[in-house]
Amino acid sequence: MSFASLGLALPLLRAIEEEKYELPTPIQQEAIPVGLEGRDLVGSAQTGTGKTAAFLLPILQRLDGTKGRSFRALVLVPTRELAEQVLTNSRAYGRYTSVQSVAVYGGVGMEPQTRALGNGTDIVIATPGRFLDHMRRGHVNPSDLEVLVLDEADRMLDMGFAPDVNRILESLPKERQTLFFSATISGDVDRLARRALNDHAAVEIGHRTATADGVEHIVIAVDKSQKLAALSNMLGELPAARTLVFTRTKFGTDKVARYIRREGIEAVSMHGGKTQQARNKALDRFKSGAVAIMVATDVAARGIDVDDIVMVVNFDVPNDSEIYVHRVGRTARAGAHGMAVTLLSPDEWLMMRDIEKFIDRSFTRETLPGFEPDVMPQQPWEIVAPPKTNKRNVTQRHGRARRR
Ligand code: AMP
């Protein structure tokens, strides 16, 4: 199935061609026709599935060619990084249309955003708190709004944006199209979807616990006290390729980055405690390839759209299974091959078991030579093959991931 057969107009097809997208991803195949018809949509798609184009392309087509600018589409996102990313995509996909986009988010001055809004725009991409601020000050008037997108709705709720999102929903015209995306559809997300959606011609895409097919999951059992050394040993052995290392806390992020740097491995770190300037600088270095490894917290890593992440490392096992799905979604994007390595210490065995139940798969516990733990997890993994030493294997698999 081609992009043209989905009903997209020439200006968009030309831009897509320049992006070198050959075929629509599954979510694009399903969501673009629904979006073009003006129907509501609930998409349970994780990041990396091409969902941004899936909602932006129909919006750009709908808004193209109208005279003058009026604010007609709002995209709400959880983080400033994701806002910037959606803005970049909107400008790229819309480069042959008349549609203008502006992004507004917290953590930076209001004034440039106020001016940009004052100059007129068709699409506003925003984090909820800052959008509400601008709306209350009269910088933006949603009375002509036709399309609302809630992107990564689960993350917006996790980050405490529910009251802001509800206030925004109350201020928007009821007659509108709503496109709702979330990696996971749990109780709260479902309630928000019901409130936000008008007509229930909603389409559900993907499975909420799905991780991309191209991901190879590797679980390495290691003692807690050996994790830093094991990580740096593993990274040191591997050819430098884009790697995202996740830690649960800001403190952990800095600690890991410091440790591996001391071991001679270049890495940048990213967490919410850093200034926007420091975050941008770290992201630029990672994106440009100047540094291959980024250590980040989950929140900071949201919305970082970096292609070719070969490996995701869970330095800490996430205490929420859905977060595992999010993290792993950072690699193997758009059908590529990737690896997800989890360093598993005994205090995390049960969390890993919950994750495996959640994604309905189970993984062999492996070990790194020189870092074999004092105790190996037994139940309930005795059904799987006995642990084997696999340093070379990890390296080889990593090489394979890079070549694809
Ligand atoms: P998203 O899930 O929207 O964050 O997109 C993930 C990545 O896939 C981004 O880097 C997009 O540029 C890329 N992408 C989106 N659609 C396609 C496509 N049809 N073919 C190839 N790459 C795509």
Side-chain angles (χ1 to χ4, degrees):
M1 186 185 283
S2 66
F3 276 105
S5 68
L6 298 178
L8 291 169
L10 276 178
L12 296 172
L13 293 175
R14 210 172 135 199
I16 291 166
E17 201 180 313
E18 288 178 14
E19 291 296 308
K20 307 218 167 7
Y21 298 173
E22 284 169 13
L23 293 171
T25 63
I27 191 166
Q28 290 164 358
Q29 289 177 21
E30 295 209 48
I32 290 172
V34 176
L36 287 174
E37 281 172 25
R39 287 160 63 205
D40 281 3
L41 174 91
V42 175
S44 57
Q46 73 251 34
T47 185
T49 52
K51 68 180 161 59
T52 315
F55 66 74
L56 280 176
L57 292 168
I59 293 177
L60 290 164
Q61 179 144 330
R62 177 180 186 140
L63 304 189
D64 187 25
T66 40
K67 287 210 176 64
R69 311 229 167 286
S70 75
F71 165 41
R72 291 194 292 149
L74 172 64
V75 181
L76 288 178
V77 295
T79 64
R80 32 194 159 175
E81 282 82 12
L82 187 58
E84 279 295 332
Q85 190 56 49
V86 174
L87 178 69
T88 304
N89 286 343
S90 181
R91 289 186 173 155
Y93 304 148
R95 69 171 80 98
Y96 299 115
T97 70
S98 62
V99 181
Q100 294 288 315
S101 310
V102 164
V104 301
Y105 43 80
V108 294
M110 293 277 282
E111 191 43 42
Q113 298 176 356
T114 308
R115 244 179 291 126
L117 292 171
N119 291 338
T121 182
D122 303 285
I123 303 179
V124 176
I125 300 149
T127 52
R130 182 54 69 96
F131 179 78
L132 207 55
D133 247 10
H134 281 295
M135 199 167 67
R136 284 180 172 149
R137 293 172 196 219
H139 301 156
V140 63
N141 173 1
S143 59
D144 292 334
L145 188 106
E146 294 174 22
V147 190
L148 169 69
V149 179
L150 289 153
D151 191 16
E152 305 207 349
D154 49 353
R155 203 48 49 179
M156 281 200 274
L157 295 183
D158 284 353
M159 292 175 69
F161 282 130
D164 289 346
V165 172
N166 284 331
R167 269 178 225 124
I168 293 169
L169 286 177
E170 281 162 20
S171 317
L172 303 181
K174 295 279 167 282
E175 273 295 303
R176 60 162 196 266
Q177 180 182 23
T178 304
L179 306 173
F180 187 101
F181 291 89
S182 185
T184 52
I185 309 276
S186 61
D188 283 350
V189 176
D190 190 49
R191 272 189 290 282
L192 178 62
R194 282 168 203 273
R195 238 192 337 268
L197 266 61
N198 286 326
D199 88 54
H200 288 275
V203 175
E204 186 162 326
I205 295 157
H207 185 243
R208 74 191 185 105
T209 59
T211 57
D213 293 339
V215 182
E216 185 169 4
H217 303 252
I218 297 172
V219 178
I220 297 179
V222 63
D223 284 336
K224 201 172 180 65
S225 61
Q226 291 286 296
K227 268 199 182 180
L228 281 169
L231 173 73
S232 95
N233 179 278
M234 187 176 82
L235 294 175
E237 291 282 322
L238 297 171
R242 283 213 175 125
T243 300
L244 198 48
V245 180
F246 283 100
T247 60
R248 265 201 300 266
T249 63
K250 293 175 196 171
F251 173 74
T253 303
D254 285 337
K255 193 165 116 184
V256 169
R258 249 196 328 268
Y259 186 95
I260 60 179
R261 269 191 224 119
R262 266 207 310 270
E263 298 287 308
I265 300 165
E266 270 222 82
V268 290
S269 65
M270 178 92 158
H271 58 68
K274 286 182 177 280
T275 62
Q276 187 62 31
Q277 205 185 5
R279 288 162 75 164
N280 288 345
K281 195 171 153 214
L283 189 55
D284 285 348
R285 293 186 68 208
F286 187 55
K287 270 191 157 171
S288 69
V291 172
I293 297 166
M294 177 182 268
V295 188
T297 56
D298 293 291
V299 168
R302 294 297 298 180
I304 300 175
D305 179 43
V306 180
D307 289 333
D308 308 328
I309 291 182
V310 172
M311 183 158 88
V312 165
V313 179
N314 295 309
F315 181 79
D316 302 309
V317 176
N319 49 15
D320 176 342
S321 304
E322 292 176 5
I323 293 177
Y324 183 87
V325 177
H326 279 295
R327 288 183 179 182
V328 167
R330 309 318 310 254
T331 184
R333 283 160 88 85
H337 182 81
M339 277 170 59
V341 177
T342 301
L343 297 177
L344 180 70
S345 53
D347 56 312
E348 298 169 321
W349 291 357
L350 292 180
M351 287 192 265
M352 194 65 214
R353 195 187 57 185
D354 286 347
I355 291 168
E356 290 173 305
K357 271 196 207 141
F358 185 71
I359 63 175
D360 202 17
R361 296 177 62 181
S362 78
F363 310 114
T364 311
R365 273 51 177 159
E366 306 185 23
T367 57
L368 268 187
F371 297 94
E372 290 85 357
D374 289 339
V375 277
M376 277 300 288
Q378 299 296 322
Q379 287 271 5
W381 299 287
E382 57 192 11
I383 33 155
V384 295
K388 53 182 188 283
T389 290
N390 72 320
K391 184 154 74 174
R392 279 192 57 225
N393 287 354
V394 172
T395 315
Q396 283 163 353
R397 285 181 252 175
H398 184 272
R400 187 154 62 90
R402 283 188 78 200
R403 280 194 297 279
R404 287 197 184 183

